[in-house]
Every structure is written in C-alpha cells, then in structure tokens.
Amino acid sequence: RQSGFNMACAWRMFVLACALLAVLAQGSYAATAAQWRSRTIYQLLTDRFAKSNGDTSPCNNLSGYCGGTFQGIINNLDYIQTLGMDAIWISPIVVNYAGGYHGYWATDLYNINPNFGTPSDLHALVKACHARGMYVMVDVVANHVGPVDNDFSQIKPFNDASHYHSCNSCPQDCTINDYTNTQQIEICRLAGLPDLNQTNPFVGNTLLSWIKNITQTYSFDGVRIDTIPEVAGSSSSSLAPFWKAFQQAAGVYAIGEVFDGRVNYVASYQGLIDAVLSYPMAFTLRGTFESQQSMNGIQSTVQQYSSNFNDTSVLGTFIDNHDNPRFLNGQSDQVLYKNALLYTLLSTGIPIVYYGSEQGFSGGNDPANREPLWTSRFNTSTPLFKFIQTVTNFRKKAQVWQYPQVQRYSDDSFYAFTRGQTFVATTNGGSHAPQQTRTITYHPYPNGTKLCNLFYPADCVTVTNSSFSVVLNNGECKVFTPQ
C-alpha cells in the first residue's frame, strides 16, 4: 500500500511538473500550427542529402553512414527553395548508436551527432533557413533508445533499468509481434529497441526538459515526433498529459507518427498534439494511383476524415517517406505519380515531399528508399522537379490553404475537387489510358467564366449553361483557374 501511495504521489508530481514546463514553454521561439498551414515541407535524411565537400560519388553501404551533413544542406538550400519548398524536416540530431545514420538510435540526448556536424553547424543551418523565410522541423524520438539490449550504461541520461519498461509482459524476445495488442505496443520493444518508461518521473521530466531545450537552443519551428502510440498510455486519459506536456514544452507545431491505416485510430491522437501524419490517406492514395484501385476510395477516406479528425488542415499529407518503398518502386508510370503528387500538394493538409521524389527515385524497402540525393547532381531540369516546382509555386500564389476542399466529381477513374477558385482534376488511368471526359455541373463558377490549365495555359474551357467539360488525355492531371 505504501509503495502504491508513493507511486501515486510521484505521478502527481510528474503531472505538476508537466504543467509547469508547459507554462515556461510559452516564451519559446515558436511557429504555430496555423502558421505551418501555408508551408510545403521537404523531408530529407541529413545523412543522405548532401556532403559538405560537394562529392557526388555513390554510397556503397546504405545501411551505414554515407556522409551527408548540416553544411551540405546549407550549401544546397537554393535547390530546395527552387523546388518551391519553404520548410525542411531533418533527421533526429542527437548522438546515435553505431550505424544510426537515420537518427532513431539515440545514445546521448545532450550532444549533436558528430557525423552530421557540430552544434555551430546546426545553428548555422537554422539561421540560413530563417534568412530565406524557411521553417525547420526536427525529428525527435521519446519512445525508445538505441539497440543496446540491456546494457543501459551506454545511454545518456537513461542509464538504469528502472528507466525502461520491463519485459515481463512481453513476448520472449521482448519485441512487439502483435500490433493489435495495445499493451505490447505500449510497453514492449519496437524492433528490439529498449522502451522508455515515461511514467517514471525522472524519464518524463527529463524528456520534457530536453525537448524544450533543443527547440529553444536551435530555434526550431516544428517537431516531428516518432512512434506516438508506442508510448504507454498515449490514448488513455490517465497518461495522456505526457504528450500534451511534450507538445507544450516544445513550444512549436508538433506532428506525430501514427503508422496505421485506421482513420478513427489515427485521429484519436490529434487531441494530444497538434497533428499527425496523414497515414490513412497516404495508404488510400497509394492504392488509388499506384495500384489503380477505384478513386471512390478517396471520397470515402475524405468523408471519414471529416467525421473523425479535429482539424484536417494541419495534418501532414504525403505519398512517400523513409519508412515505405517509394511509389515508383511499385508503379513506374510517372504520369500516375504526378496525379498522386498533385493530390498531395493541393488537397487539405500540409504537404510533405520526400527528398528524391523530384528526381524520380524508386528505392524499395528501407534502406533502399534512402538513396543519396547527391548522385542526381541536384538536377533541376527533370520532369518531376519541374512538375513539383510548378504546383508548389501555384499553391503559394493561390493560397489554397485558406479554402476548404470541396469534392466536385468522383467515380472509379476520375476525382475532382476545388479549393476556392482552384479546380483540380485527377485520374488513375495512367499514361496509356484512353481519353476521359467528364461534364462538371457542381462547381463555384458563373456562366462565362474561362478556366485555363496551369500546365498548358492554352488549354481552356468556358462555363456554359452552368457546366463545363474536363478532358484528360493519356492519364494527365489538370489544374484549372479562372482567367
């Protein structure tokens, strides 16, 4: 009984500390969720984007460090900005276990990964981005540490077994093997990585102090939080204060990873932090465009989003990332890819473009999907680079984030929507598809309005008798705006 009383007191003290840190965090350098709505994010792996010396030779081992640095990013910000991006998402920055080029194997929370550069280099990167009006989002991990088995002496500052969940209720190897089992997900090890116990006051308070410190020290504008559901009690009212306090301690926009396709499940975490990555829609888009399944799937997912999420406008929309085979690995037709990218860039949410998409990279499972970008020699003339550049620049000019997404037409092979005066038409037919024609009768334009195609300005239609026709040839997508 005394032990239970002490644990209860410790937990109350932890929650009070959370509240105090939340108040203190209000003075931190911050970019809010509302400010992030207008941004287009370029996700890169620090180790794979660019080397400091400009070397463009291939990397012989994608499972280890390849040589990308903070200085390499600084040297190539023109490339990112030319693509139309005004925010970057970089890898976790702390010291990692040997081979942790990706940043998710932390061993020392208090020092910067020397493979990426120095603290001064990181300061310089953020300063250089801010000078260009670009935001910087840092990836962070609060669920686990590097693969040290049970030798916790290697971890700073969590160097004691009491800082981790016990394996007593886990499978024999302590690793999650049933992702329908909430207890396993929350207390067992993800891929064998020791699982931090955030209900331990030292662990919880240290993580809150740490996130507050790094966002303030480096003036980050946002954080991407890894493995949100894997933290024990994330979805329960008794322990939910941890993620809420983590967000508040960060003092900036926070977007979390909930790697799951169930809309209601993923949406349940938005109440804890600003936003989550839009995984259910990403899976829908991959099915629609990569596998050419019915486009009515988009309609269904959009409807589920509307009834489940608190705010869809701040979710992170994407089609590719570092944890899944690239779209072009499963579907080589770049016309289909352009349709998927167009939907991602102009639909509701904050678009995220994974580095290499603009170069047509097609890597498979990790680490093949984490190719060095420098082998492309930062080519700004590829068809996909030009396509993304055109759409991202248009997104800023039209300020589509200020308008709701309204579905205008949906069937098995055609999906159209508007954002304000912008009309977007997509198809999943691919480059060999026959011509598709749809008559649009539900739209916001008065008779006589001339609508012209962003990609081919001479391709125009006029609204007559309250309707207009959209013709798609060879699987193309179109963006119409009034002239």
Side-chain angles (χ1 to χ4, degrees):
R1 289 180 180 175
Q2 184 64 35
S3 175
F5 175 78
N6 289 340
M7 285 298 292
C9 288
W11 177 243
R12 282 195 291 271
M13 290 174 65
F14 169 60
V15 173
L16 286 172
C18 290
L20 176 61
L21 277 168
V23 172
L24 293 174
Q26 298 308 306
S28 68
Y29 184 96
T32 65
Q35 290 171 311
W36 273 90
R37 287 192 186 103
S38 66
R39 301 287 162 158
T40 308
I41 303 169
Y42 187 75
Q43 181 199 354
L44 60 87
L45 297 189
T46 304
D47 181 64
R48 302 296 158 89
F49 181 70
K51 296 181 181 179
S52 299
N53 62 5
D55 177 31
T56 58
S57 58
C59 178
N60 295 323
N61 178 20
L62 294 183
S63 294
Y65 284 97
C66 289
T69 62
F70 298 134
Q71 186 61 51
I73 301 172
I74 295 171
N75 295 345
N76 291 279
L77 287 175
D78 279 347
Y79 172 86
I80 297 173
Q81 206 162 26
T82 299
L83 187 59
M85 305 292 149
D86 46 21
I88 60 172
W89 155 10
I90 63 174
S91 305
I93 58 175
V94 301
V95 173
N96 263 234
Y97 188 82
Y101 69 89
H102 40 66
Y104 299 108
W105 291 351
T107 55
D108 181 355
L109 288 187
Y110 298 131
N111 286 289
I112 298 301
N113 190 332
N115 293 281
F116 299 159
T118 66
S120 295
D121 294 334
L122 181 53
H123 278 293
L125 170 59
V126 177
K127 184 177 180 180
C129 287
H130 287 170
R132 295 167 175 261
M134 298 173 69
Y135 284 173
V136 181
M137 173 182 287
V138 64
D139 207 329
V140 297
V141 185
N143 172 66
H144 58 261
V145 297
V148 297
D149 194 19
N150 294 315
D151 183 8
F152 305 123
S153 64
Q154 299 183 57
I155 307 298
K156 298 178 182 178
F158 306 123
N159 58 7
D160 189 83
S162 65
H163 299 152
Y164 301 86
H165 286 118
S166 165
C167 294
N168 292 341
S169 300
C170 297
Q172 189 171 4
D173 61 358
C174 200
T175 296
I176 303 167
N177 63 16
D178 180 2
Y179 281 88
T180 65
N181 184 319
T182 300
Q183 183 181 39
Q184 273 196 34
I185 292 171
E186 292 183 343
I187 70 171
C188 301
R189 298 183 176 190
L190 175 68
L193 302 171
D195 198 75
L196 289 166
N197 181 4
Q198 292 76 12
T199 64
N200 177 306
F202 173 74
V203 175
N205 286 323
T206 298
L207 288 170
L208 294 177
S209 298
W210 169 73
I211 190 62
K212 177 176 181 288
N213 180 63
I214 65 165
T215 54
Q216 291 190 341
T217 298
Y218 294 102
S219 298
F220 290 122
D221 306 283
V223 295
R224 180 266 187 184
I225 307 173
D226 193 57
T227 52
I228 291 286
E230 279 77 4
V231 169
S234 295
S235 58
S236 70
S237 58
S238 63
L239 297 178
F242 174 75
W243 278 133
K244 289 183 178 180
F246 193 86
Q247 156 100 64
Q248 291 174 314
V252 295
Y253 168 72
I255 185 168
E257 178 202 30
V258 184
F259 195 153
D260 198 283
R262 295 169 292 171
V263 175
N264 60 342
Y265 177 75
V266 176
S268 69
Y269 291 94
Q270 191 179 29
L272 307 181
I273 57 175
D274 285 327
V276 292
L277 294 168
S278 191
Y279 257 106
M281 181 57 78
F283 289 134
T284 296
L285 296 178
R286 293 291 284 257
T288 298
F289 296 110
E290 182 181 332
S291 303
Q292 297 176 278
Q293 298 168 4
S294 173
M295 299 195 77
N296 285 324
I298 297 177
Q299 173 181 258
S300 176
T301 301
V302 168
Q303 291 171 345
Q304 291 180 64
Y305 269 45
S306 297
S307 58
N308 283 276
F309 281 104
N310 297 329
D311 183 357
T312 57
S313 71
V314 295
L315 303 180
T317 58
F318 66 97
I319 194 71
D320 285 304
N321 66 19
H322 60 302
D323 287 326
N324 298 276
R326 292 183 184 266
F327 181 102
L328 291 174
N329 181 261
Q331 173 57 260
S332 62
D333 191 338
Q334 290 196 4
V335 170
L336 283 165
Y337 193 36
K338 286 180 178 179
N339 277 268
L341 287 167
L342 183 67
Y343 186 91
T344 300
L345 290 165
L346 295 184
S347 62
T348 300
I350 301 170
I352 303 170
V353 175
Y354 185 44
Y355 85 99
S357 299
E358 72 279 9
Q359 299 296 338
F361 282 7
S362 58
N365 287 313
D366 161 23
N369 59 349
R370 302 174 178 184
E371 311 95 316
L373 185 68
W374 55 75
T375 59
S376 72
R377 298 181 182 274
F378 303 95
N379 186 351
T380 59
S381 300
T382 69
L384 285 170
F385 189 101
K386 293 295 187 184
F387 178 83
I388 294 171
Q389 178 187 54
T390 298
V391 179
T392 52
N393 287 335
F394 172 81
R395 182 179 188 270
K396 282 180 279 192
K397 180 180 178 181
Q399 298 187 8
V400 298
W401 58 86
Q402 294 192 15
Y403 307 98
Q405 177 177 330
V406 180
Q407 180 177 299
R408 299 300 179 178
Y409 200 106
S410 179
D411 62 28
D412 286 340
S413 57
F414 184 94
Y415 188 87
F417 63 92
T418 55
R419 311 245 354 233
Q421 292 293 296
T422 299
F423 183 92
V424 181
T426 62
T427 180
N428 62 354
S431 57
H432 300 295
Q435 184 182 84
Q436 298 197 58
T437 302
R438 301 292 188 278
T439 299
I440 309 300
T441 57
Y442 177 49
H443 59 79
Y445 312 112
N447 284 331
T449 302
K450 184 179 181 182
L451 303 170
C452 294
N453 183 3
L454 170 67
F455 305 114
Y456 301 100
D459 174 19
C460 302
V461 296
T462 301
V463 179
T464 306
N465 296 324
S466 300
S467 68
F468 63 95
S469 294
V470 176
V471 179
L472 301 181
N473 293 307
N474 305 116
E476 67 182 327
C477 50
K478 292 185 177 182
V479 177
F480 280 122
T481 55
Q483 300 302 301

